[in-house]
Every structure is written in structure tokens, then in C-alpha cells.
Amino acid sequence: MSIQVYWGSGSAFAWRVLLALEVKQLAYESKLIEFSKQEHKTAEFLRLNPRGKVPTLRDGDFVVYESIAILQYLDRKYPQVPLFGTRAEDTGLINQDVCEVLSYIEKPVSQMTRPLFSGELAGKESQVREAAAILHRELQQYDARLARCSWLRGDTLTAGDIVLYPFIPTLLRAAAKPVAGPLNLGFLPFGERYPHMARWSAAIEKLPGYARTYPPHWRQ
Ligand SMILES: N[C@@H](CCC(=O)N[C@@H](CS)C(=O)NCC(=O)O)C(=O)O
């Protein structure tokens, strides 16, 4: 098997790559890195990715890291089930969706979820609330878009959906932590607050192979 993907349980960035591989129905060898054992900082792994981060993908002799770069590589190399479109206009708009996630979603998700997951919330309540408010404004816009179509770009799943999706279960998992309760972050029940996003998330969760992408430690 020539494709090997190094990923970590719960890494939203790595989740994107697993979803892309499944959607494209590519065979791959799963290399699950254990952060607690510092497996991403071994000399062997740092030779693949000197930043010591996942996702990292090896395809034969070729190595690429950074989730978006990996998605772009996979789409050029394995164009069946295109994720970035085939027309220049579609590619432009799909990249616009991808860039919007990187610019407006990634940071507030991290600012909201890290204190909740780490249990080190004390003193960071305002940061969490402010990040949640930013995310609500963004999710309202996505929900309105998804009221009109199945996927972000119409009736076909594209890279924008794959890049955004992992942040949704991540933020819902953080919002469901008991420590988040007193903050009344307002994401739950998600289906009532954001019905179209909930339907869209459920559609991703029904994709063949989705179960292989689900963070193993979330099942415990
Ligand atoms: N911009 C990168 C982010 C990758 C990233 O931050 N990965 C995290 C896991 S979520 C990681 O490997 N962290 C380990 C570390 O920094 O030591 C991407 O899109 O791939």
C-alpha cells in the first residue's frame, strides 16, 4: 500500500485528511500517532515532518504535511471524486470556503475548546465566551447557506465541507463538558440551534468509511 497517513486521535486537521481519503475511496495505511508517547517527536517522524505535527502523508517516496496541502495533493494526484472542482470558477469558490475556515473558524475553535478540554478554564472564561460568540456568528451564516443546499457548494461535497466539518464535533464535544455548563455557551442541542448544519453533519457521518475517521479516544 503506497499511501501512509500519520494522524492523531482528535486532531481536526488530521480528520480532514482521513475524510478525503475515504471520500476518494483510496486505500491507505493508518499510522495513528500517540501524542502522550511523543511519537510525533521521534527522529524518524521528524525526518518526515520537521515540525513534528500531524497530519503527515507519505505516498511512495513523496511526503507532504499541512492538511490543506495534503488535500490539494490528493486531489491533483487522484482526481476521481474531485474535492476542489474541475472548473476554474468552482476551484476558486471552494478555495474561498477553505480559506474562510482557516481565517475565521480555526482560531476561535481553538480559543474555545482548549481551556475546556484541558480543564484549565480558570481565568479563561471570557476568552471562551468571546470565541463562542464569534463562532455563533459564523455558524449562523453556514446554517443559512445550508438551508438552501445539501453541501456548502450545492449538491456535491467539496473540500470546504471536509475542512470545516471536524471543527463541529470538536466544539460540540467541548460544549458538552460539565465545566462548560455554567458558561451557557448555547451550542446544545445543536439540532435545535443550527438545524441545517446538524443535517449536514449527519450526512457527513453517513459517508462510507466515516467510522474509520472517528477519533478512537472519543469512543472510550
Ligand atoms: N496547520 C496544520 C496544523 C497541524 C497541527 O497543529 N497538528 C497538531 C494536532 S491537532 C499537532 O500535530 N500537534 C502536535 C504538536 O504541535 O506538538 C495543518 O493544517 O495540518
Side-chain angles (χ1 to χ4, degrees):
M1 193 180 299
S2 66
I3 299 180
Q4 295 177 319
V5 59
Y6 293 81
W7 60 294
S9 183
S11 162
F13 306 104
W15 202 342
R16 296 167 173 168
V17 173
L18 296 174
L19 284 170
L21 289 164
E22 295 293 345
V23 167
K24 287 179 166 289
Q25 297 182 16
L26 294 170
Y28 62 93
E29 187 182 340
S30 159
K31 299 273 201 182
L32 179 60
I33 289 284
E34 285 204 38
F35 294 122
S36 60
K37 294 187 186 160
Q38 293 288 299
E39 288 177 351
H40 53 312
K41 303 298 176 194
T42 62
E44 187 191 354
F45 186 76
L46 291 173
R47 271 196 293 277
L48 299 177
N49 180 345
R51 294 189 186 274
K53 288 184 187 283
V54 295
T56 296
L57 182 129
R58 177 152 53 182
D59 189 2
D61 293 334
F62 177 71
V63 177
V64 56
Y65 54 86
E66 284 294 321
S67 57
I68 307 304
I70 296 172
L71 297 192
Q72 299 260 11
Y73 165 74
L74 289 174
D75 218 40
R76 277 294 292 272
K77 184 84 178 178
Y78 305 101
Q80 69 277 20
V81 195
L83 295 175
F84 286 87
T86 49
R87 298 165 58 238
E89 291 80 3
D90 294 334
T91 304
L93 293 175
I94 293 164
N95 273 312
Q96 177 182 300
D97 289 338
V98 168
C99 291
E100 285 191 313
V101 175
L102 307 194
S103 300
Y104 308 117
I105 301 289
E106 258 182 37
K107 190 170 168 197
V109 166
S110 165
Q111 287 173 329
M112 185 191 118
T113 61
R114 278 180 186 232
L116 296 173
F117 285 141
S118 67
E120 288 166 15
L121 180 61
K124 296 197 179 129
E125 293 87 347
S126 324
Q127 169 191 310
V128 170
R129 279 205 194 88
E130 282 159 25
I134 292 169
L135 289 169
H136 277 301
R137 285 198 291 278
E138 295 293 329
L139 295 197
Q140 279 158 21
Q141 293 184 34
Y142 283 116
D143 206 55
R145 275 176 73 174
L146 289 166
R148 301 189 297 269
C149 46
S150 302
W151 305 102
L152 290 181
R153 282 286 147 208
D155 56 10
T156 307
L157 177 139
T158 64
D161 300 289
I162 285 178
V163 169
L164 174 63
Y165 167 78
F167 286 134
I168 303 306
T170 301
L171 80 86
L172 295 183
R173 186 174 161 86
K177 292 268 171 204
V179 69
L183 299 178
N184 292 315
L185 297 176
F187 292 100
L188 303 170
F190 192 59
E192 285 178 21
R193 187 81 197 252
Y194 297 108
H196 305 291
M197 285 211 84
R199 187 256 310 139
W200 166 87
S201 295
I204 291 185
E205 287 152 19
K206 284 198 197 87
L207 292 171
Y210 172 83
R212 279 189 288 271
T213 73
Y214 192 80
H217 82 279
W218 288 12
R219 296 189 193 282
Q220 287 153 18

